[in-house]
Amino acid sequence: MGYKTPTCSIARRCGGCEWLSVPYPIQLKRKQAQVEELLAPLASINNVTIEPIRGMDEPLAYRHKAATPFAPGKGRTVRSGFYASGTHQIIASKECLVEDGRARAILNDVAYLAGQFNIHAYQEDRGKGALRHAVVRCGYATDDVMLVLVVNGQRLPHEQEFIAALRKAHPELTSIFLNVNQKRTNAILGRETRLLWGSTSMSDKLLNCTFEIGPTSFYQTNPQQTEALYQLAIDGALAGSKQTGATLTEASTQTDASAPANNLRILDAYCGTGTIGLCLAHVAEAQGVNLLLTGVDQVENNIQMARRNARNNKLEAEFICDDATRYMQALAKDGQNFDVIILDPPRAGSTPAFLKATAQLAQKKIVYVSCNVVTQARDLKVLLDSGFAIERVTPVDMFPHTKHVECVVVLSRAN
């Protein structure tokens, strides 16, 4: 893209792409500077410099998940689009430069057909109306397209006719779900979901692994950069482990007494549907590294999906539904440990209790993947004080044209 900047007619009002008018090379320099300001003082303790940020060659159409709110329009019409910056006023949009090209047309046609079938849009101030939001996921490496309709009730009026009209207008759809959200909340999704038509899940691929994605599953929005992010995490976890033998886990206490002593034992904390851990297991297998993977997540649906993903990719792994901190504290109390722990916490970062357990359990390395460098810097200070040293710091631009930046930090237990 160079120093050219794309043009969007609603950019100033929408506010979603706050840096759209900034040439992409300058965006990357700003994000690099942000990471260096926060993490360079910590990395310099171990004479480590921040690596150059991994950006995109063409930072457009990268979002493979898109959503819209709905609101009543004139007459029977339903409005869709984006919220204006800092408000809940909807701005109409025919297309979005950063979304997969299939998504916005589907979302806009949901609004159009809702008006045709007299399906009323949700009114936030009154808590009335049926149609609240719609979410579209588009496959990165597959042709799957999933639509989730978020409804203030158990059913949509004229449900079957409405679905038939959507399928006719968009034959690319492979599944349509209804998600029930009857709470007065800003959260898009509710807890109850049912299939209206099509496949029970969609599939996509990352680093030659196939993943099932459910209507409420967490799955990275930018798969192309996700592969770059995951590869950095995998490289960090496997560095120095390409040879099997006692050197891998010489000092480790086995969680399974029957496990051979030359297994590289990995814990994927906050594992979600298992994407990072399973991609790691796939690469390890190709490199001849014997790996025992354990994933932990507190969302039962995520764990069920992770187990299916392991089976679908013919990979051995154990996925446990539990609070990550509670699970790790119990293992530490029992004298268990792992060679490598991978953590990818939410934006709020981790907790002191979790970090303490991580430092106790990780015998060799910690790979910290973060979507918030501010909280990552805070957590890294705790890990450094617990006897770890920073080996590598690499920023990744997952969301071009925004201020957000992700970062992978590899730490090893200090001698």
Side-chain angles (χ1 to χ4, degrees), residues 64-78:
H64 287 253
K65 177 184 176 183
T68 182
F70 297 108
K74 293 182 179 179
R76 290 169 48 179
T77 63
V78 173

Side-chain angles (χ1 to χ4, degrees), residues 25 183 356:
K183 293 185 178 181
K356 181 180 178 181

Side-chain angles (χ1 to χ4, degrees), residues 86-121:
T87 77
H88 275 203
Q89 176 188 350
I90 293 179
I91 302 170
S93 175
K94 291 184 178 179
E95 60 181 2
C96 176
L97 292 170
V98 297
E99 290 176 351
D100 183 288
R102 296 166 286 183
R104 191 53 45 180
I106 295 172
L107 295 172
N108 286 338
D109 278 348
V110 170
Y112 170 75
L113 290 170
Q116 295 295 300
F117 283 93
N118 200 25
I119 298 172
H120 297 160

Side-chain angles (χ1 to χ4, degrees), residues 207-415:
L207 296 177
N208 297 315
C209 289
T210 300
F211 294 102
E212 282 190 36
I213 307 164
T216 60
S217 300
F218 174 77
Y219 189 76
Q220 292 282 3
T221 300
N222 183 346
Q224 180 179 341
Q225 288 298 90
T226 298
E227 292 192 323
L229 188 81
Y230 285 9
Q231 190 62 60
L232 287 166
I234 291 167
D235 291 345
L238 293 181
S241 299
K242 291 187 179 181
Q243 293 180 354
T244 58
T247 55
L248 291 180
T249 55
E250 215 164 35
S252 295
T253 302
Q254 298 296 322
T255 56
D256 180 353
S258 65
N262 64 348
N263 282 317
L264 180 68
R265 298 183 310 104
I266 306 283
L267 175 64
D268 182 3
Y270 309 105
C271 71
T273 58
T275 50
I276 296 181
L278 292 173
C279 285
L280 169 59
H282 176 76
V283 173
E285 184 179 77
Q287 292 183 359
V289 176
N290 296 324
L291 184 144
L292 285 176
L293 171 65
T294 302
V296 60
D297 194 281
Q298 64 181 347
V299 180
E300 178 64 34
N301 182 61
N302 283 345
I303 292 300
Q304 292 176 1
M305 197 77 70
R307 289 168 180 165
R308 288 201 295 273
N309 286 332
R311 290 194 297 270
N312 292 342
N313 288 283
K314 296 180 173 57
L315 294 169
E316 293 292 332
E318 181 182 20
F319 289 101
I320 297 167
C321 186
D322 200 351
D323 174 77
T325 301
R326 180 171 59 232
Y327 173 75
M328 293 169 68
Q329 286 176 326
L331 289 183
K333 185 177 180 180
D334 196 36
Q336 313 276 3
N337 51 54
F338 293 87
D339 296 296
V340 181
I341 295 179
I342 300 171
L343 52 147
D344 184 6
R347 288 191 60 79
S350 197
T351 64
F354 179 92
L355 295 170
K356 181 180 178 181
T358 299
Q360 288 177 299
L361 288 173
Q363 292 299 295
K364 292 184 177 294
K365 291 186 179 184
I366 298 170
V367 180
Y368 191 144
V369 180
S370 175
C371 58
N372 185 343
V373 188
V374 174
T375 56
Q376 187 180 37
R378 178 201 67 198
D379 293 347
L380 288 173
K381 292 175 184 177
V382 176
L383 295 173
L384 291 177
D385 290 341
S386 300
F388 284 83
I390 292 176
E391 282 189 354
R392 187 178 184 186
V393 181
T394 315
V396 179
D397 187 21
M398 293 284 285
F399 298 102
H401 316 304
T402 76
K403 296 178 181 178
H404 297 292
V405 60
E406 310 238 348
C407 193
V408 179
V409 177
V410 181
L411 303 100
S412 60
R413 187 170 287 281
N415 294 326

